[in-house]
Amino acid sequence: MTRGETSGDRRNLGAAKQPRGAILLRLWRYLGKNRLLLALAIVLSLTANVLALLGPRLSGQAINVISEGPLDLPYILNRAGWMAVVYSISAGLSYGLSQVMIRLSRRVVRQMRRDIFARLVQLPVGFFDRYQTGDILSVITYDVDTVNQSLSADLLQILQTLVTVVVSLVMMLTIAPKLVLIFCVTIPATVFFTQYITRRVRPLFRRRSAMLGELNGFVEEMMSGQKTTRAYGREGAVLEHFDEKNRQAVEAYTEAEANGTIVGPAINCINNLSLAMVCIFGSLLYLSGGIRLGDLSSFIQYSRKFSGPINEVANIIGELQSAFAAAERVFGLMDAQPEPADSPEAGVLTGVQGDVALDRVCFGYTEDRMILQDFSLHAKPGALIAIVGPTGAGKTTVINLLMRFYDVQSGTISVDGQNICQVTRESLRRAYSMVLQETWLFHGTIYENIAYGKPDATREEVVAAAKAARIHNYISSLPQGYDTVLSDNGSGISKGQKQLLTIARAMLLDSAMLILDEATSNVDTQTEQAIQAAMEELMVGKTCFVIAHRLSTIRHAGHILVMREGRVVEQGTHDSLMAQNGFYAQLYYAQFDTYA
């Protein structure tokens, strides 16, 4: 798709605002898929924390014996021994809990990434035309890892906090209910302040994730175009642009973190005030004979265990907000609308003859700008249709509509008399072979890349396709031949060779229709002539649609459509169009003068 035919510049993948409850529920569903690990984590957390909370009670009993006499050394040693036992077991269980949570979070992340990628392969082509690739990758990597960190660390902390707070509160109520009234003041203050900060910082963390995604998108875009950048000497301008994006990301990160870290010190101050009040009123209660010294010691320890976790949770409020912002982007990508499902009545396109008709088709990537207007075309089986015209005329748009990468706003497209909206997309697309101007090779052997559309192809079929594409001799010259592994989109071979491999891939498919979108644009003239001869054999009996900018390559086409501003302004053979001395002739002579 050319720049003139897209829906506009690519946008940043924003995060749809979702309630925290909805996010937690969706995360809980992921956790619920691993019930055994989750149940084990809950049991370990409960046991480890309850054992650890027995320590203050045991120490208080020992202090009571020491302070009130007579000194019972065996009893004191017994309490100390039990303290060592419960703390040791608690530490071991806590370590086991950490291991369980790591495995649990990794399983969740693996499933989450799988679900995201599964949704990506279901999304329409238009989605990837609108959003930056780097921003999408940022969701799969950075945002998912941020959620994982929250699951493996923050969630564990919250689980332990819940157990500690509840058990500590029960213990304090059994020791001195009157002193517990102090927390009726400090806990509401903590809750209200935390809610206030949460509402304030959550948009900041949302913006931080968006800025980091935008930065990743810019880096990905610049890395893919580094040769052009250097050829035009634009390194300085690119660096300045990167500095600006980097500055925005850093400022967003700093603002979010700075506001998120306010919570910890503030809550710590409130908790220290509660401890001071416990010590003061506890001392008065002890002096009046309302509490024993050992019990007061136990109460103070439980008060620290009660307020300490609350302070720790406050300290991770920033991390939780970051996790919520990341989860919004993750779930936002998961919730992106997939390509519309085939209608229940859709049939499978079989026995394709290649009779293609477009009747009064209107289409635009945006409603306010139509690309095709009342476009009609009829390609009989075996016909060679060449589509030419200036950039932005709508040539590639026609191909997008034929393949149902987009659906028309009005009008109909049919194959063998069947409306393509009434057949399955898979069967429609497999009826075509396609070679695009932008080549795509994946990490794998040359054999696997050629056989991509036909995984069960034999070695003989792959070799035959490579010979027809005039690439066999080059492949045979490689040390591993067809078993040579390509990486990084075939970075070790030339653009022309990559184009020939994609042409061989298309030749391997036994399809009734063929689409060539500037298929020979990256090869030299001599190679182009050889490919044209091979293409003529390949095109026999197939309905072919050829988009070409070099008009000399389609002189032999049986029918040429000349497009201008979304309309067919001329059509016919090369000779008849030249005889008209119209727009086609102007394009042809302009190219002839250019190449001359």
Side-chain angles (χ1 to χ4, degrees):
M1 189 185 304
T2 64
R3 180 61 126 179
E5 297 166 6
T6 61
S7 58
D9 293 336
R10 292 190 174 187
R11 301 192 295 268
N12 180 262
L13 185 64
K17 296 181 180 180
Q18 300 184 36
R20 283 178 294 174
I23 294 175
L24 289 174
L25 180 60
R26 297 184 71 167
L27 290 175
W28 177 256
R29 288 173 182 168
Y30 276 98
L31 292 170
K33 295 178 182 179
N34 301 273
R35 292 183 179 86
L36 291 178
L37 282 177
L38 183 59
L40 180 58
I42 293 174
V43 171
L44 288 175
S45 180
L46 285 171
T47 308
N49 281 275
V50 169
L51 287 174
L53 290 169
L54 290 176
R57 193 68 168 176
L58 294 170
S59 67
Q61 293 172 351
I63 292 174
N64 283 334
V65 171
I66 295 173
S67 62
E68 297 174 0
L71 184 63
D72 189 348
L73 187 58
Y75 180 84
I76 295 173
L77 292 176
N78 176 271
R79 299 295 93 179
W82 275 111
M83 288 175 62
V85 170
V86 296
Y87 281 135
S88 297
I89 296 176
S90 176
L93 293 177
S94 295
Y95 174 76
L97 176 61
S98 299
Q99 297 301 311
V100 170
M101 290 302 297
I102 289 174
R103 285 175 172 78
L104 178 60
S105 65
R106 286 301 173 184
R107 288 189 182 184
V108 169
V109 166
R110 181 176 63 185
Q111 184 62 43
M112 193 174 288
R113 284 204 175 109
R114 187 183 184 282
D115 290 347
I116 292 175
F117 198 80
R119 178 48 57 96
L120 286 176
V121 299
Q122 296 173 349
L123 294 177
V125 172
F127 180 88
F128 301 97
D129 291 334
R130 292 192 301 271
Y131 297 108
Q132 292 181 314
T133 301
D135 197 18
I136 297 173
L137 294 177
S138 179
V139 174
I140 300 176
T141 54
Y142 169 77
D143 290 317
V144 171
D145 280 339
T146 300
V147 175
N148 169 56
Q149 178 64 29
S150 181
L151 288 176
S152 60
D154 300 340
L155 185 62
L156 174 60
Q157 184 66 53
I158 292 173
L159 181 62
Q160 292 174 329
T161 294
L162 181 62
V163 176
T164 301
V165 167
V166 171
V167 176
S168 296
L169 180 60
V170 171
M171 289 294 190
M172 288 190 295
L173 287 172
T174 60
I175 295 172
K178 294 179 180 179
L179 290 179
V180 177
L181 295 174
I182 293 173
F183 297 102
C184 293
V185 176
T186 58
I187 295 301
T190 300
V191 171
F192 290 139
F193 182 78
T194 302
Q195 288 182 339
Y196 167 74
I197 292 297
T198 298
R199 288 194 297 268
R200 178 178 174 180
V201 302
R202 191 178 181 190
L204 301 179
F205 279 99
R206 186 183 294 118
R207 180 173 177 269
R208 186 187 78 167
S209 291
M211 289 296 100
L212 289 175
E214 187 173 330
L215 178 64
N216 287 338
F218 176 78
V219 171
E220 185 272 336
E221 181 180 296
M222 291 301 103
M223 290 301 97
S224 62
Q226 58 178 319
K227 290 183 179 178
T228 302
T229 298
R230 296 195 176 188
Y232 284 90
R234 297 289 294 173
E235 295 92 340
V238 168
L239 184 58
E240 289 180 4
H241 200 176
F242 174 81
D243 286 340
E244 177 62 20
K245 296 284 186 183
N246 194 25
R247 182 189 62 78
Q248 292 176 356
V250 169
E251 288 181 353
Y253 194 99
T254 302
E255 186 178 10
E257 292 293 335
N259 284 273
T261 53
I262 293 174
V263 182
I267 301 303
N268 189 42
C269 177
I270 295 174
N271 289 334
N272 286 333
L273 290 175
S274 69
L275 176 61
M277 294 170 67
V278 167
C279 292
I280 294 171
F281 289 105
S283 299
L284 295 175
L285 192 61
Y286 170 72
L287 293 175
S288 64
I291 189 173
R292 301 164 69 186
L293 181 61
D295 292 338
L296 177 59
S297 173
S298 297
F299 189 96
I300 292 175
Q301 291 182 67
Y302 281 124
S303 71
R304 293 299 292 173
K305 288 185 176 295
F306 178 79
S307 59
I310 296 177
N311 184 51
E312 292 174 1
V313 170
N315 284 324
I316 63 173
I317 285 294
E319 297 176 15
L320 289 173
Q321 296 311 307
S322 177
F324 281 130
E328 282 182 336
R329 282 166 55 85
V330 169
F331 293 133
L333 185 55
M334 287 186 186
D335 294 339
Q337 290 299 313
E339 194 169 48
D342 296 320
S343 66
E345 297 79 19
V348 177
L349 192 62
T350 58
V352 180
Q353 299 299 311
D355 188 285
V356 181
L358 291 84
D359 183 29
R360 300 182 66 84
V361 167
C362 293
F363 173 78
Y365 294 104
T366 58
E367 295 182 0
D368 60 338
R369 184 174 181 271
M370 302 302 291
I371 301 297
L372 298 181
Q373 304 176 54
D374 294 325
F375 180 83
S376 297
L377 164 67
H378 184 206
K380 296 180 179 179
L384 172 56
I385 307 296
I387 306 174
V388 302
T391 299
K395 303 184 296 299
T396 301
T397 299
V398 174
I399 303 304
N400 287 335
L401 297 178
L402 289 176
M403 297 287 287
R404 278 200 75 189
F405 292 147
Y406 293 86
D407 285 326
V408 300
Q409 266 93 13
S410 63
T412 59
I413 302 176
S414 61
V415 175
D416 295 345
Q418 298 185 69
N419 190 324
I420 62 173
C421 293
Q422 298 174 356
V423 299
T424 62
R425 288 184 177 84
E426 181 181 1
S427 63
L428 171 67
R429 291 167 184 172
R430 291 198 66 83
Y432 287 94
S433 298
M434 176 180 280
V435 179
L436 301 176
Q437 180 178 2
E438 297 179 0
T439 59
W440 178 75
L441 300 173
F442 59 88
H443 182 86
T445 64
I446 290 178
Y447 169 83
E448 292 170 338
N449 270 276
I450 295 178
Y452 183 73
K454 190 178 180 181
D456 58 347
T458 65
R459 180 61 65 102
E460 290 73 20
E461 290 176 322
V462 171
V463 171
K467 287 181 178 179
R470 306 302 194 268
I471 191 64
H472 172 72
N473 291 337
Y474 169 74
I475 297 173
S476 300
S477 68
L478 299 173
Q480 284 78 39
Y482 284 84
D483 295 320
T484 300
V485 176
L486 301 177
S487 61
D488 193 20
N489 195 24
S491 59
I493 60 179
S494 69
K495 285 187 176 181
Q497 290 162 344
K498 287 193 288 187
Q499 190 69 281
L500 292 173
L501 288 175
T502 60
I503 291 173
R505 180 190 293 165
M507 287 182 168
L508 185 62
L509 294 179
D510 186 21
S511 56
M513 297 176 288
L514 180 66
I515 292 175
L516 302 174
D517 187 354
E518 284 295 312
T520 60
S521 61
N522 289 322
V523 296
D524 56 75
T525 303
Q526 183 177 0
T527 305
E528 180 183 46
Q529 293 174 350
I531 292 177
Q532 288 291 348
M535 285 294 185
E536 289 178 4
E537 297 181 11
L538 177 65
M539 292 175 182
V540 173
K542 296 184 178 182
T543 305
C544 302
F545 298 90
V546 180
I547 294 178
H549 287 106
R550 283 189 282 182
L551 303 186
S552 59
T553 63
I554 47 90
R555 294 180 59 177
H556 61 288
H559 197 78
I560 300 175
L561 293 178
V562 185
M563 297 189 64
R564 188 176 189 180
E565 297 180 354
R567 297 180 182 273
V568 177
V569 294
E570 295 175 1
Q571 55 183 310
T573 64
H574 172 75
D575 292 336
S576 65
L577 290 172
M578 292 298 294
Q580 293 179 26
N581 197 30
F583 187 58
Y584 177 84
Q586 295 178 19
L587 293 175
Y588 186 83
Y589 286 129
Q591 288 192 1
F592 181 81
D593 292 340
T594 300
Y595 294 133

